[in-house]
């Protein structure tokens, strides 16, 4: 077995870039030109929107402080979690037969497990941030000093 992991060819690298661009560019355009402007306008009138047990203000602050960190953690786990578990279980990074983008020596033992442990620590941090976000959102929403402007009836 070689000391280095196999590398992607130039054609395979180009194919990776194309595949990532196919979903990343539309996502970027949609968030920049549709979602963020919409969310900014929604946030301006959120205190006037009543959904029964909660208001638009709840949606804005819980989305910002709770949903985003937890969604980021779940997305990262879905993308990198299974691979990180395999690296920890096998004690080898890159995994056997896994191709890499640049010349990479195989690592074994603790040095191979270091990055996956950091990755899982990051996930725990994001989940903790989401849990702490509940309290931050409540502090902001229920602070009497944060009186929103009056709603217009038109």
């Amino acid at each position: 077995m070689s000391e280095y992991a196999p590398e992607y060819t130039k054609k395979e690298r180009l194919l990776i870039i194309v595949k990532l661009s196919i979903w990343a560019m539309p996502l970027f355009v949609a968030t920049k030109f549709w979602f963020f402007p919409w969310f900014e306008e929604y946030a301006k009138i959120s205190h006037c929107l009543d959904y029964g047990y909660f208001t638009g203000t709840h949606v804005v602050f819980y989305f910002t402080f709770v949903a985003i960190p937890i969604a980021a953690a779940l997305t990262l786990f879905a993308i990198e979690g299974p691979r990180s578990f395999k690296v920890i279980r096998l004690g080898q990074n890159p995994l056997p037969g896994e191709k890499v983008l640049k010349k990479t020596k195989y690592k074994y033992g603790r040095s191979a497990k270091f990055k996956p442990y950091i990755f899982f620590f990051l996930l725990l941090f994001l989940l903790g941030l989401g849990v702490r976000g509940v309290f931050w959102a409540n502090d902001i929403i229920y602070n009497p000093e944060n009186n929103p402007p009056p709603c217009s009836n038109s």
Side-chain angles (χ1 to χ4, degrees):
M1 183 174 211
S2 173
E3 193 177 336
Y4 292 93
E7 290 184 58
Y8 286 107
T9 64
K10 289 186 183 213
K11 184 179 179 182
E12 290 171 323
R13 291 177 197 200
L14 183 61
L15 190 60
I16 290 170
I17 291 169
V18 169
K19 285 180 180 179
L20 288 174
S21 298
I22 285 172
W23 66 265
M25 291 305 292
L27 180 64
F28 171 77
V29 169
T31 55
K32 180 163 179 58
F33 296 108
W34 175 77
F35 179 75
F36 289 136
W38 171 83
F39 191 68
E40 186 177 345
E41 290 302 314
Y42 181 86
K44 288 177 186 175
I45 61 162
S46 64
H47 63 284
C48 298
L49 303 172
D50 186 9
Y51 299 113
Y53 294 110
F54 59 93
T55 67
T57 304
H58 290 89
V59 172
V60 169
F61 285 105
Y62 285 115
F63 175 77
T64 303
F65 292 114
V66 181
I68 289 176
I70 290 175
L74 293 174
T75 303
L76 287 172
F77 179 77
I79 293 169
E80 187 62 26
R83 183 189 177 282
S84 293
F85 278 126
K86 287 177 188 172
V87 169
I88 291 171
R89 187 170 34 90
L90 293 175
Q92 177 182 334
N93 191 23
L95 293 168
E98 182 179 54
K99 290 188 172 187
V100 294
L101 294 172
K102 64 179 184 174
K103 191 172 183 176
T104 306
K105 263 188 163 181
Y106 283 110
K107 293 182 183 177
Y108 301 96
R110 279 192 286 186
S111 64
K113 296 176 183 181
F114 181 72
K115 285 184 182 178
Y117 285 138
I118 295 297
F119 170 73
F120 286 119
F121 176 77
L122 172 67
L123 290 182
L124 285 175
F125 174 77
L126 287 171
L127 290 174
L129 197 61
V131 170
R132 179 65 178 107
V134 171
F135 300 101
W136 285 330
N138 284 336
D139 288 348
I140 294 169
I141 292 168
Y142 298 113
N143 185 346
E145 294 176 9
N146 295 335
N147 290 331
C151 299
S152 64
N153 293 335
S154 54

